[in-house]
Amino acid sequence: PEWYFLFAYAILRSIPNKLGGVIALVMSIAILFILPILHTNSSQGLQFYPINQILFWYMVIIIILLTWIGARPVEAPFILTGQILTVLYFSYYILNPMISKIWDNFLK
């Protein structure tokens, strides 16, 4: 795979079930297209959401690490690391809107 899809390839490899891996692969890319539609924050930027700023940089690190894991061979330490990073990748998309809503309610 090309380097810009290595993060999705690492997600595909981290799930032992073939169908589950393909679904996770498709969702990892589809969520990037769906995310702008689901944006419901009161403010347009992240400058008013300090916790989300930290989460954003964690997400950047997770994507960089997933890309690196996707280029590594399928061996023991890389499989577990890929699985952990896959859970962190998808948990970002669950935590980020929740924290934004909590922060919006806190600021009102």
Side-chain angles (χ1 to χ4, degrees), residues 6-83:
L6 282 176
F7 80 96
Y9 179 64
I11 291 172
L12 172 71
R13 286 191 332 189
S14 69
I15 298 177
N17 184 356
K18 287 184 181 183
L19 180 62
V22 171
I23 291 172
L25 169 75
V26 170
M27 288 304 298
S28 70
I29 296 173
I31 201 164
L32 297 175
F33 291 108
I34 296 169
L35 193 63
I37 298 168
L38 300 176
H39 180 73
T40 59
N41 294 350
S42 324
S43 300
Q44 292 295 320
L46 283 179
Q47 66 266 25
F48 300 114
Y49 299 96
I51 299 172
N52 292 63
Q53 289 176 357
I54 295 168
L55 279 177
F56 170 78
W57 288 110
Y58 279 133
M59 185 62 176
V60 169
I61 292 168
I62 288 168
I63 290 175
I64 290 170
L65 288 174
L66 274 171
T67 301
W68 177 72
I69 290 294
R72 302 287 109 207
V74 183
E75 293 176 355
F78 303 124
I79 295 171
L80 180 62
T81 306
Q83 290 172 341

Side-chain angles (χ1 to χ4, degrees), residues 11 47 50 89-90 99 101 106:
I11 291 172
Q47 66 266 25
Y89 177 84
F90 285 110
I99 292 175
K101 291 292 180 191
F106 179 71

